[in-house]
Amino acid sequence: MKKIDVPLKNALKEFLEPYGFKKVRGRYPYFVKVINDEIIEVITFRNLIGMGYLTIGGLATVYGREIDFSMSPRYNGDWIDLYDGGVYECLKAENGGQLDIPEPHYPLIELDIAEEDFQQAIELAVNTVRDVLVPAFARVTDLPSCVSFYRQFSGLKLILSPEIKDNEEGLLNFLVYENVEEYQKDTLRLYGLKNTDLLNEMNSYTQEDNRKDKIDRIRRAKEQIRLFTEQRNSPEVLAEIEYRKNLNIKRLKEQKVI
């Protein structure tokens, strides 16, 4: 069969450039769009050793982890893999359980794909990006909408840690929420919705399970509110925000992304 890497990369490049995505310099197929020099949208694909190639996407900000496009998408998979089981499932729920793509995850281009099916597989990968990931990313225009995206698709990224340097995208909370009341409202609502979702999804989930889970979720929500209240005006938080922003903007400039 044909080699997958080059034609898939070329097809994604041709499709994504009109949407403002740039191919990052280097050996790996990262296509990146930067919004307001703060938000980084990424579309790429991974070689699942022995299985084939999976098209994936992810979102980051300059206030999160160090952004490194010099490593394989495989090793950036903790943040450039939001779609698989995350974005898709949430979008499917929004549409009453229906989503007009043929697979419940990004199409896997298998290594042993027949020659006559190769081009169709490439087109399916691009069409799924067009129909699912690009519209999902289009919701993100600024930091508040970025937080909304995370809360919908990857809420764990926003969790606050007692150790400020251990936050992933948690520092966004301090940039977006102007007061404790707003943060508290959204946090309690998020934890409450998760509890309801579990009850609806699990047939074996009893009312007693629901009660215990709700108590635990409220406890965790209150802990997040406590951390936000204590850390929001901390000089350490402000210093970490500035450090991460400067570091990541420097990295993005070095790679000619901005």
Side-chain angles (χ1 to χ4, degrees), residues 15-186:
F15 171 73
L16 289 170
E17 280 188 343
Y19 289 93
F21 286 83
K22 297 180 181 179
K23 167 67 171 63
V24 175
R25 289 185 178 181
R27 62 180 295 190
Y28 298 111
Y30 289 112
F31 298 94
V32 177
K33 180 178 180 178
V34 181
I35 301 171
N36 301 331
D37 288 350
E38 290 183 306
I39 301 165
I40 301 96
E41 300 174 353
V42 179
I43 295 172
T44 184
F45 55 87
R46 282 183 59 186
N47 181 357
L48 303 182
I49 306 302
M51 296 176 62
Y53 289 78
L54 185 71
T55 309
I56 55 178
L59 186 75
T61 75
V62 296
Y63 307 105
R65 56 170 289 162
E66 182 177 350
I67 299 167
D68 186 359
F69 294 126
S70 68
M71 66 171 66
S72 163
R74 176 184 178 187
Y75 297 108
N76 271 325
D78 59 332
W79 70 278
I80 310 180
D81 213 357
L82 292 178
Y83 172 85
D84 192 17
V87 174
Y88 172 84
E89 293 299 333
C90 292
L91 289 175
K92 186 175 180 181
E94 278 187 2
N95 290 275
Q98 301 296 319
L99 195 59
D100 189 22
I101 60 172
E103 299 290 341
H105 48 69
Y106 274 130
L108 178 70
I109 301 179
E110 299 177 353
L111 293 175
D112 59 351
I113 188 171
E115 186 79 17
E116 59 269 22
D117 297 329
F118 184 81
Q119 188 57 41
Q120 183 179 0
I122 296 286
E123 291 175 1
L124 178 59
V126 173
N127 289 345
T128 305
V129 170
R130 178 196 66 198
D131 296 339
V132 179
L133 197 53
V134 168
F137 280 165
R139 304 177 181 200
V140 180
T141 57
D142 52 21
L143 292 184
S145 57
C146 183
V147 166
S148 296
F149 182 95
Y150 275 126
R151 284 192 177 274
Q152 181 176 6
F153 297 126
S154 189
L156 292 177
K157 298 295 183 186
L158 293 174
I159 286 179
L160 294 172
S161 169
E163 295 295 327
I164 291 170
K165 292 185 181 296
D166 291 341
N167 286 317
E168 293 190 54
E169 293 287 354
L171 297 180
L172 287 178
N173 294 302
F174 303 112
L175 294 168
V176 168
Y177 291 99
E178 297 183 359
N179 55 63
V180 174
E181 289 73 21
E182 287 182 5
Y183 178 79
Q184 176 175 287
K185 178 181 177 181
D186 274 4

Side-chain angles (χ1 to χ4, degrees), residues 193-211:
L193 286 175
K194 291 296 183 183
N195 181 261
T196 302
D197 290 343
L198 280 175
L199 185 61
N200 291 335
E201 292 173 5
M202 299 173 61
N203 293 330
S204 60
Y205 197 63
T206 67
Q207 289 296 332
E208 179 62 15
D209 292 330
N210 179 56
R211 186 187 68 81

